[in-house]
Amino acid sequence: MSTPIPARMRGLNRAEICDQNFIEFVRDWRGEVHAAGPDQPIVPGSALSTTDFDELLKSQFISRHLDLMARVLRVQNKVFYTIGSSGHEGNAMVARATRHTDPAFLHYRSGGFMAERFRKLPDMDPVMDSALSFAASKDDPASGGRHKVWGSKPLWVLPQTSTIASHLPKALGTAVAIEQAKRIGHVLPIPADSIAICSFGDASSNHATAQTAFNTAAWTAYQQLPAPVLFVCEDNGIGISVKTPRDWVRANFEGRRDLDYFAADGLDLATGYADVQRAVEHCRSTRRPTFLHLRTTRIMGHAGTDFEIEWRSIEELVAVEATDPLLKTADIALRAGLYTPGSLLALYEDTRRRCFAAAEDADRRPRLTDLAEVMAPLAPYSPAEVQAEAARTDYAEARLKVFGGADKLPELQAPRHLAIQINQALHDLMAKYPESLLFGEDVAQKGGVYTVTKGLFKAFSGKRVFNTLLDETMILGLAQGFANMGMLPLPEIQYLAYFHNACDQIRGEAASLQFFSNDQYRNPMVMRIASLGYQRGFGGHFHNDNSITALRDIPGLVVACPSRGDDAALMLRTLMALAKVDGRVCAFLEPIALYMNKDLYAPGDGGWLTSYPAPGQTIALGEGRVYAPEDGGAGDDLVVFTFGNAVPMCLRAQRAWAASHGWSTRVIDLRWLQPLNEAFIAEQCRGAKRILVVDEGRRSAGVGEGIITAIVEAGFGATPLKRVVGADTFTPLAGAALLVLPGDAEIIAAGNSLA
């Protein structure tokens, strides 16, 4: 017959019950004391000394009382986050066994880890710093009040938000980057034997983004390449309300080749610490990906709004709460004679007072109240410094070596097409930036599916130009890791349609890091993507994707799209300078159909060949190209806004309108699609009698909508206006593809309709 559950333990507020359980357990403790001496094992045979144990205990108390404080003060609107760490306090052992210079990408239940890592540096206060984050205070040293994150610049904890498992690829990328830096002679910001730490829950381990990181870690180790990442799976057996099958994590990971498995009891400091240490030391010494399966529990629900009593039986709740790791910690402390029940409760209550006092103090601090202040770290831009960096030419000797002599410098060669000039620009920029790396699918020996990266592998070796496995998520995870370690990555996504497989690595991770770290951390990159439609002979949707909506919707991301070779080279210089100076994340869309295009008006005219711009020439972010009318007029009869593949089409239409209507027409190649230069658009609209917007993307949510919005909001909505745009459909194969995309005839007809 089961023991009846007291009425007190049937209450709705499980946080209050867990708190009271601890107090009563310690108050009523009657165990036998076997005093452990100073710096002796806390229990016989333990790897943990009394000093180590005592500090871990205090870190656990801090974590617990931050949780309890959040539950109480959230209803008073003084704190704004209640996903707690209760039951996971054993992750403090991972912090103690590692260094503060081991980059950490943490699970949101990492209060114990953070409280312990704060001990690594003097004069740091885990209670106050955490309270400021809970309160969304401007003084929060992690995010400046933008989000409740576990993060710290001096402690090398890169702040994470709540996208499930999305931090695993960049954690592995950082581990790979630690080793890659040594190969290219790059000076690391951390010790060379550092490891990357990445924690997550048992439910998250099933996520596709987690699986790609595990697979790539094993793929790397299988080739005997170092990847010193410590994956810490904090297994509490449940994801919100979905239970993990019993023993699933062990069964799934213990036998995996090239992902070395260790298990530790996170509910028992005395026995668990040695296993945690073994996993950490293995990872550090072997430089192999290591999986630490840390047993935890979850008490007090998923968050403050999760009333488990409504969907779990009281018997189950009471059984789970009996596994509270603080009960075990208290029992060990009391048996070892470190504390009496009275002194342990005094420490517990003193920690409570510290956390509440810090929270009340944080509540009195200022919060973000101004939009400009909120957005300040999102997309920093230092135009003078960026232009100076783009114009920098102090690498002449490296250029000569890369291009093979002064007579072979690209600016001295005949005009060439887009693909060649991008290739020349990449050679140029990799000579300029020795910390740069170019990688992706088929980019090395093959030189890319369109030969755009041809010769780079030979010029810079496999240390700086290399193929990855076929996984866009991991390509972008690697890019973030290299950037975290101070390198300048140039990842290639083979086709625009493939970007969508990995979009969250930019949206949820790379582009958000500066925002959520208050610009303390940056992961600059220039992501090259073969893009857009009109490709002949090799088509279908996945090789002719014309939608860039997902890119334009990412806050802080710079999106650039050249239409000709000289522009491409100049824009790449600017993007690399933006990444270098301001830490920006950039996307460079290369129109596939224009890669090899040489002619403009007629076959053989060479009208789309351009000369390579010499070093020192630059263009600014947002600077468009204006094609004036051939007759030398003002171009006010019709102003055409466009980009990419449509630029040469609009130039042909410009001639047609001059012949049929006598119009003096300006064609504007915007070149920069995000952010749109609204001031430039408005300036070009002044005096225009007619306006045409040509957008090769889809009708819904495309660039054209942004251009028209800029026109109307600038006060030019009364000007006769027309839009030519692709259809809201996927791109079919062969000639049918041209039915869904704007062509010369459609553009000319749209202009004629404005006559």
Side-chain angles (χ1 to χ4, degrees):
M1 185 174 178
S2 60
T3 303
I5 295 173
R8 176 190 70 75
M9 298 186 69
R10 295 179 176 274
L12 185 64
N13 189 335
R14 305 312 297 180
E16 189 175 277
I17 288 168
C18 289
D19 185 30
Q20 192 61 34
N21 284 348
F22 181 84
I23 293 170
E24 291 179 2
F25 175 85
V26 175
R27 184 193 63 200
D28 299 338
W29 188 83
R30 295 293 183 271
E32 188 174 349
V33 175
H34 299 281
D39 290 322
Q40 296 299 307
I42 186 67
V43 299
S46 175
L48 204 59
S49 72
T50 53
T51 300
D52 291 335
F53 177 88
D54 189 38
E55 292 192 341
L56 285 168
L57 176 151
K58 290 171 181 174
S59 294
Q60 290 189 320
F61 278 14
I62 289 170
S63 179
R64 176 61 56 86
H65 278 298
L66 287 171
D67 284 358
L68 294 171
M69 172 275 293
R71 298 297 177 92
V72 172
L73 296 186
R74 177 65 195 97
V75 295
Q76 299 177 33
N77 219 32
K78 293 182 176 181
V79 303
F80 302 92
Y81 195 84
T82 59
I83 296 180
S85 304
S86 295
H88 285 249
E89 291 90 352
N91 56 35
M93 292 187 290
V94 180
R96 191 161 193 89
T98 55
R99 306 170 184 162
H100 79 276
T101 49
D102 292 328
F105 305 82
L106 299 180
H107 188 228
Y108 44 62
R109 302 194 192 281
S110 295
F113 181 102
M114 286 300 297
E116 184 63 27
R117 182 165 272 206
F118 268 85
R119 299 182 187 282
K120 303 286 186 178
L121 291 177
D123 303 321
M124 297 195 71
D125 184 355
V127 174
M128 193 66 226
D129 281 11
S130 299
L132 290 166
S133 186
F134 276 97
S137 167
K138 282 170 56 174
D139 295 337
D140 166 25
S143 75
R146 288 167 185 82
H147 202 280
K148 164 61 189 75
V149 293
W150 295 118
S152 170
K153 179 64 174 177
L155 294 174
W156 271 98
V157 179
L158 289 80
Q160 305 305 305
T161 54
S162 297
T163 310
I164 298 302
S166 61
H167 59 305
L168 273 75
K170 67 180 181 181
L172 173 59
T174 301
V176 171
I178 292 169
E179 302 301 314
Q180 188 73 18
K182 303 171 192 175
R183 288 192 283 272
I184 69 170
H186 174 71
V187 178
L188 282 165
I190 55 177
D193 65 343
S194 297
I195 64 173
I197 304 162
C198 180
S199 62
F200 49 91
D202 49 295
S204 295
S205 73
N206 300 301
H207 198 281
T209 313
Q211 292 295 323
T212 195
F214 301 141
N215 179 71
T216 305
W219 182 86
T220 304
Y222 179 78
Q223 301 174 79
Q224 298 185 342
L225 298 172
V229 60
L230 180 68
F231 291 120
V232 183
C233 181
E234 300 182 17
D235 184 0
N236 63 24
I238 196 166
I240 302 184
S241 67
V242 180
K243 293 180 181 178
T244 297
R246 184 182 297 275
D247 211 28
W248 165 246
V249 173
R250 184 200 60 77
N252 193 20
F253 288 95
E254 186 177 27
R256 288 202 185 189
R257 175 171 175 165
D258 293 311
L259 186 58
D260 301 341
Y261 177 90
F262 291 78
D265 188 352
L267 303 179
D268 185 339
L269 299 180
T271 61
Y273 189 67
D275 294 320
V276 170
Q277 273 189 318
R278 275 193 286 273
V280 170
E281 290 167 3
H282 173 83
C283 185
R284 197 178 305 281
S285 62
T286 66
R287 318 305 286 164
R288 285 175 55 83
T290 304
F291 188 96
L292 174 59
H293 182 193
L294 190 68
R295 179 189 174 208
T296 62
T297 190
R298 191 192 76 189
I299 60 174
M300 295 163 46
H302 175 72
T305 53
D306 178 19
F307 299 108
E308 289 183 293
I309 194 74
E310 297 177 351
W311 57 272
R312 297 179 88 170
S313 71
I314 187 63
E315 290 79 13
E316 183 181 6
L317 278 175
V318 170
V320 169
E321 290 161 358
T323 65
D324 181 352
L326 264 62
L327 301 179
K328 182 65 174 178
T329 297
D331 184 64
I332 295 170
L334 293 168
R335 288 184 184 278
L338 285 187
Y339 294 91
T340 64
S343 64
L344 187 60
L345 284 178
L347 174 64
Y348 186 75
E349 293 303 330
D350 181 63
T351 307
R352 186 197 307 273
R353 284 190 291 273
R354 281 181 64 199
C355 290
F356 271 86
E360 294 290 351
D361 184 0
D363 180 53
R364 292 189 290 269
R365 306 283 187 96
R367 294 189 173 96
L368 296 169
T369 57
D370 177 79
L371 177 60
E373 194 173 32
V374 170
M375 295 181 65
L378 174 65
Y381 180 39
S382 312
E385 291 85 348
V386 168
Q387 183 176 1
E389 177 61 28
R392 181 168 62 83
T393 60
D394 59 355
Y395 62 105
E397 187 176 337
R399 288 190 88 229
L400 290 174
K401 182 178 179 181
V402 165
F403 288 111
D407 59 329
K408 295 181 180 179
L409 292 174
E411 62 269 25
L412 302 179
Q413 310 308 311
R416 304 301 296 272
H417 51 279
L418 177 65
I420 291 292
Q421 301 299 38
I422 293 176
N423 178 271
Q424 303 276 36
L426 292 172
H427 277 84
D428 212 346
L429 290 165
M430 292 194 73
K432 183 175 182 176
Y433 297 103
E435 73 273 29
S436 62
L437 303 167
L438 188 144
F439 51 93
E441 299 158 15
D442 303 300
V443 301
Q445 293 90 335
K446 180 178 173 62
V449 293
Y450 297 100
T451 70
V452 175
T453 59
K454 183 178 180 180
L456 288 165
F457 176 79
K458 183 178 180 180
F460 298 102
S461 85
K463 296 176 183 177
R464 293 184 59 199
V465 178
F466 50 90
N467 294 324
T468 65
L469 75 176
L470 200 158
D471 186 338
E472 288 76 21
T473 297
M474 203 57 237
I475 290 171
L476 297 179
L478 286 167
Q480 292 172 81
F482 293 134
N484 288 336
M485 292 296 100
M487 286 167 272
L488 202 52
L490 280 155
E492 178 183 298
I493 301 298
Q494 199 166 77
Y495 288 100
L496 179 57
Y498 300 174
F499 168 74
H500 297 91
N501 301 337
C503 180
D504 189 55
Q505 285 301 300
I506 300 297
R507 175 189 298 275
E509 296 297 331
S512 73
L513 181 62
Q514 284 177 276
F515 183 77
F516 287 120
S517 72
N518 201 16
D519 200 23
Q520 296 177 87
Y521 282 107
R522 298 176 166 190
N523 46 20
M525 70 179 72
V526 177
M527 172 179 60
R528 296 177 43 253
I529 310 177
S531 303
L532 306 175
Y534 301 99
Q535 188 178 186
R536 297 181 183 274
F538 184 58
H541 164 67
F542 289 103
H543 302 103
N544 282 276
D545 189 356
N546 63 328
S547 175
I548 66 168
T549 300
L551 285 161
R552 290 190 66 243
D553 189 49
I554 299 175
L557 182 68
V558 175
V559 181
C561 182
S563 63
R564 46 189 267 183
D566 55 351
D567 282 358
L570 291 169
M571 294 166 78
L572 277 169
R573 285 178 195 167
T574 300
L575 292 171
M576 290 292 276
L578 277 166
K580 179 73 173 179
V581 173
D582 287 322
R584 298 295 291 275
V585 179
C586 308
F588 187 66
L589 309 184
E590 302 172 4
I592 300 169
L594 294 179
Y595 270 152
M596 307 301 173
N597 197 41
K598 300 178 178 65
D599 305 320
L600 177 56
Y601 298 113
D605 69 7
W608 212 238
L609 300 174
T610 62
S611 297
Y612 187 84
Q617 295 182 34
T618 65
I619 60 172
L621 173 64
E623 181 182 340
R625 179 180 286 278
V626 179
Y627 291 90
E630 292 181 301
D631 63 6
D636 288 340
D637 290 329
L638 176 63
V639 174
V640 183
F641 293 97
T642 191
F643 65 93
N645 288 298
V647 174
M649 290 189 275
C650 290
L651 290 174
R652 290 190 288 271
Q654 183 186 48
R655 277 195 174 181
W657 293 318
S660 61
H661 299 292
W663 283 349
S664 177
T665 303
R666 287 198 312 279
V667 175
I668 314 300
D669 181 359
L670 291 169
R671 301 193 287 201
W672 306 93
L673 307 183
Q674 183 67 18
L676 282 173
N677 188 340
E678 296 179 353
F680 172 71
I681 292 170
E683 178 186 341
Q684 293 301 319
C685 287
R686 289 190 179 90
K689 298 174 184 177
R690 305 166 187 85
I691 299 172
L692 181 66
V693 175
V694 181
D695 175 5
E696 63 185 282
R698 296 180 191 150
R699 176 170 293 275
S700 298
V703 177
E705 290 185 358
I707 298 169
I708 291 172
T709 299
I711 291 168
V712 172
E713 290 184 347
F716 298 102
T719 305
L721 174 66
K722 191 83 173 179
R723 176 168 64 129
V724 183
V725 68
D728 278 340
T729 182
F730 299 107
T731 304
L733 196 61
L738 300 180
L739 299 176
V740 307
L741 298 168
D744 287 40
E746 290 83 3
I747 294 169
I748 292 169
N752 291 341
S753 72
L754 293 169

